[in-house]
Amino acid sequence: MTINLAPLNQKLTVRSLGEHDNRDLSDIESRLMHLGFVDGATIMVKRKAPLFQEPLLVEVRGRLIALTSDEAGLIKVEVQS
């Protein structure tokens, strides 16, 4: 699943970034990697805006980062057990 579909306040593990594994990173994907959205990172969706659920407030490496739904849709995660 992607971050924009993930439940609130549950620990998530980043599994991949972007739509394809074997290609050059776009500017957005590169920016997300620099912010800490890398394979294996633990993150948590803290809040979603009420109307269109955009932006999303995500905690990564102890920082809160706001993402648009397009950005969040690039980050594939799984719920930690």
Side-chain angles (χ1 to χ4, degrees):
M1 90 178 93
T2 59
I3 290 181
N4 47 358
L5 301 175
L8 294 176
N9 298 313
Q10 284 197 338
K11 289 186 178 183
L12 307 165
T13 302
V14 175
R15 287 296 162 218
S16 66
L17 187 64
E19 296 178 2
H20 308 289
D21 293 331
N22 298 324
R23 66 179 179 89
D24 293 330
L25 294 176
S26 71
D27 290 340
I28 293 172
E29 292 164 342
S30 178
R31 177 180 157 267
L32 291 171
M33 285 184 66
H34 283 98
L35 289 172
F37 294 97
V38 294
D39 189 28
T42 298
I43 64 171
M44 185 182 299
V45 179
K46 301 300 268 181
R47 294 186 188 202
K48 295 180 182 179
L51 189 53
F52 297 108
Q53 300 196 358
E54 181 180 11
L56 290 84
L57 190 62
V58 180
E59 182 179 347
V60 60
R61 293 184 176 179
R63 296 179 293 176
L64 294 176
I65 298 170
L67 299 175
T68 66
S69 61
D70 289 340
E71 292 167 334
L74 294 173
I75 305 167
K76 293 177 182 66
V77 296
E78 67 181 31
V79 177
Q80 291 183 2
S81 52

